[in-house]
């Protein structure tokens, strides 16, 4: 695993927690921010996955 994979996964988890917290406190803003953080994390993890694949090929 590389840095992007780890950080991306961490952002996904943090975003999920933020989204669920928003649901519990009935805050649409927190739900949206959490969903956005999950997407950001997913993209970063995807970049890390590509880097890892390219590294493995060499």
């Amino acid at each position: 695993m590389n840095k992007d994979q780890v950080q991306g996964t961490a952002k996904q988890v943090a975003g999920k927690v933020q989204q669920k917290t928003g649901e519990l406190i009935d805050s649409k803003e927190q739900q949206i921010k959490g969903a956005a953080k999950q997407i950001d994390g997913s993209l970063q993890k995807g970049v890390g996955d590509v880097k890892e694949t390219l590294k493995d090929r060499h």
Side-chain angles (χ1 to χ4, degrees), residues 1-16:
M1 285 190 95
N2 62 39
K3 180 177 152 185
D4 285 315
Q5 288 172 312
V6 173
Q7 288 180 340
T9 300
K11 283 182 185 177
Q12 286 176 313
V13 171
K16 189 69 169 174

Side-chain angles (χ1 to χ4, degrees), residues 1-48:
M1 285 190 95
N2 62 39
K3 180 177 152 185
D4 285 315
Q5 288 172 312
V6 173
Q7 288 180 340
T9 300
K11 283 182 185 177
Q12 286 176 313
V13 171
K16 189 69 169 174
V17 169
Q18 186 174 12
Q19 183 182 19
K20 289 296 181 186
T21 301
E23 290 174 12
L24 289 173
I25 63 172
D26 198 30
S27 171
K28 291 288 184 196
E29 180 183 1
Q30 290 303 314
Q31 291 176 42
I32 292 168
K33 285 182 179 181
K37 192 178 286 186
Q38 287 178 68
I39 291 168
D40 184 38
S42 181
L43 292 172
Q44 185 172 5
K45 183 179 179 301
V47 168

